[in-house]
Amino acid sequence: MRSGEVLSLIWQDGVALPIHDGYRAFETMFSRILPVRVVCLLAGESCTRPLAMSDELELAPALPLGDVLVEELPVDLPYGTLVLFLPERGADLSSLLGAAVGEALQLMLNQGGLPMERETDALYLLAHAAMRRAASLLAQGSAVDTEAFARGLGQSLERHWVAEQGGRLPDPTVFSRPDFLWQPSLQGYLSRLDPGFTAPDPRMVNGDLLRVAETPLVLPEWVSRMEAVLRAVLGAPERQTPTLQSRLAARFNLQ
C-alpha cells in the first residue's frame, strides 16, 4: 500500500482503537504466535484485509506512521511497534488472525536481509510453523479456530505468491483449503514460480521456529532474531556486517 493510501486510510476513512474484548484476546494470541510488540487498530471501509506495517514507515518526509497515529488516536505508541490495521466489520477473528500473521511474516522478510533466493523456502516454513503454533494455542485452551486461521493465512499467502507475482495456479481452490500447506500442488506451484524453492520438508522445524523470545520484542529486534534463526535453518550465510541497533526514547501521546 502506497504512503498516500495509508494517509487516506487514516485521515479519510478513519481508524479507531478496538473496544471489544475479542480484540484483546486477538492481540494476545498474535503475540503468542509471533513475539513482537503489536497494536491493533480498526480501519474503515477501504481496509478489506489485515495490513501489517512498521510504526517507523515514512508516509511523507519526516512523517512516520507512528507520529500520525498518536496525533489521531488516544494511544501511546512506543518506537518499534508493529501496527496492524484490521477491517472494521464482517470478519471472523480466527481468520483475521491467520491473515495478520501471514502479513507480519511477509513484512519481517521484507525488512530482514535473508538472501532473496531463500525467501520462498523461508515463508513456506514459517507458514507451517505458524499453523503449529495456532494448533498449540488451541490445545492450551485459546479460542482459536485453526481451520479459519488456516484460511486467513492462505488468503494472505495467495495474494503474495499468486496475485502479486502473477502466477497461475493449477488448482485455484488450493489456498482456500485448511490443509493447503500440505498439498503437493502447492509445492509444485512454488517450484515453478521460484527456481530457488527447494520444497523443504516442514517436519524439519516445528512451532518453536517462531519462539525467538518469551515476551514481545520491538520490531527491529524481532526481525533480527528471526533472520538469524532462518539463516541457521536454511543454511544461508551469516551477514558480513551486523545490523546496527538504535535505542530511541518511547513515543508518547501528549493529548
Side-chain angles (χ1 to χ4, degrees), residues 183-194:
Q183 295 306 306
S185 61
L186 175 61
Q187 286 195 350
Y189 169 75
L190 294 178
S191 296
R192 291 188 296 274
L193 179 72
D194 181 358

Side-chain angles (χ1 to χ4, degrees), residues 46-122:
S46 65
C47 181
T48 58
R49 61 181 178 85
L51 302 169
M53 301 179 191
S54 165
D55 70 304
E56 297 184 12
L57 173 67
E58 283 205 350
L59 303 180
L63 184 64
L65 172 62
D67 287 357
V68 174
L69 291 174
V70 298
E71 288 293 327
E72 296 294 320
L73 298 171
V75 61
D76 294 334
L77 196 65
Y79 287 100
T81 298
L82 173 65
V83 179
L84 285 178
F85 292 100
L86 303 177
E88 190 172 16
R89 50 186 161 170
D92 172 82
L93 286 182
S94 292
S95 178
L96 277 182
L97 181 62
V101 166
E103 296 299 308
L105 291 175
Q106 292 171 53
L107 176 67
M108 181 271 292
L109 289 174
N110 288 337
Q111 292 198 344
L114 199 69
M116 185 178 298
E117 64 270 17
R118 305 312 305 271
E119 286 186 356
T120 303
D121 280 354

Side-chain angles (χ1 to χ4, degrees), residues 146-157:
T146 52
E147 290 195 359
F149 179 93
R151 286 191 292 270
L153 180 62
Q155 290 167 4
S156 174
L157 297 182

Side-chain angles (χ1 to χ4, degrees), residues 192-212:
R192 291 188 296 274
L193 179 72
D194 181 358
F197 181 62
T198 65
D201 185 350
R203 292 173 298 181
M204 67 188 288
V205 296
N206 55 34
D208 287 342
L209 174 69
L210 301 174
R211 293 185 62 183
V212 293

Side-chain angles (χ1 to χ4, degrees), residues 1-238:
M1 179 174 279
R2 297 183 179 90
S3 59
E5 293 173 323
V6 178
L7 286 172
S8 176
L9 182 73
I10 298 169
W11 288 340
Q12 295 183 25
D13 288 356
V15 293
L17 290 169
I19 58 174
H20 191 280
D21 287 344
Y23 288 98
R24 296 191 184 94
F26 179 100
E27 284 190 2
T28 298
M29 289 190 291
F30 182 92
S31 289
R32 290 179 66 185
I33 295 173
L34 304 180
V36 58
R37 180 188 293 163
V38 64
V39 62
C40 294
L41 302 174
L42 297 183
E45 291 184 359
S46 65
C47 181
T48 58
R49 61 181 178 85
L51 302 169
M53 301 179 191
S54 165
D55 70 304
E56 297 184 12
L57 173 67
E58 283 205 350
L59 303 180
L63 184 64
L65 172 62
D67 287 357
V68 174
L69 291 174
V70 298
E71 288 293 327
E72 296 294 320
L73 298 171
V75 61
D76 294 334
L77 196 65
Y79 287 100
T81 298
L82 173 65
V83 179
L84 285 178
F85 292 100
L86 303 177
E88 190 172 16
R89 50 186 161 170
D92 172 82
L93 286 182
S94 292
S95 178
L96 277 182
L97 181 62
V101 166
E103 296 299 308
L105 291 175
Q106 292 171 53
L107 176 67
M108 181 271 292
L109 289 174
N110 288 337
Q111 292 198 344
L114 199 69
M116 185 178 298
E117 64 270 17
R118 305 312 305 271
E119 286 186 356
T120 303
D121 280 354
L123 187 55
Y124 179 76
L125 290 176
L126 289 168
H128 274 280
M131 280 301 309
R132 293 179 184 180
R133 289 295 298 152
S136 176
L137 290 182
L138 177 63
Q140 295 167 23
S142 294
V144 57
D145 180 336
T146 52
E147 290 195 359
F149 179 93
R151 286 191 292 270
L153 180 62
Q155 290 167 4
S156 174
L157 297 182
E158 183 175 18
R159 279 189 296 271
H160 176 70
W161 278 330
V162 182
E164 294 177 9
Q165 301 194 36
R168 181 173 297 177
L169 285 169
D171 176 5
T173 68
V174 64
F175 282 100
S176 63
R177 299 179 52 163
D179 60 349
F180 74 96
L181 282 170
W182 289 267
Q183 295 306 306
S185 61
L186 175 61
Q187 286 195 350
Y189 169 75
L190 294 178
S191 296
R192 291 188 296 274
L193 179 72
D194 181 358
F197 181 62
T198 65
D201 185 350
R203 292 173 298 181
M204 67 188 288
V205 296
N206 55 34
D208 287 342
L209 174 69
L210 301 174
R211 293 185 62 183
V212 293
E214 295 302 320
T215 56
L217 301 167
V218 295
L219 180 58
E221 179 65 19
W222 176 64
V223 169
S224 178
R225 292 195 190 187
M226 285 303 309
E227 180 189 339
V229 168
L230 288 169
R231 284 179 178 274
V233 169
L234 296 172
E238 295 183 3

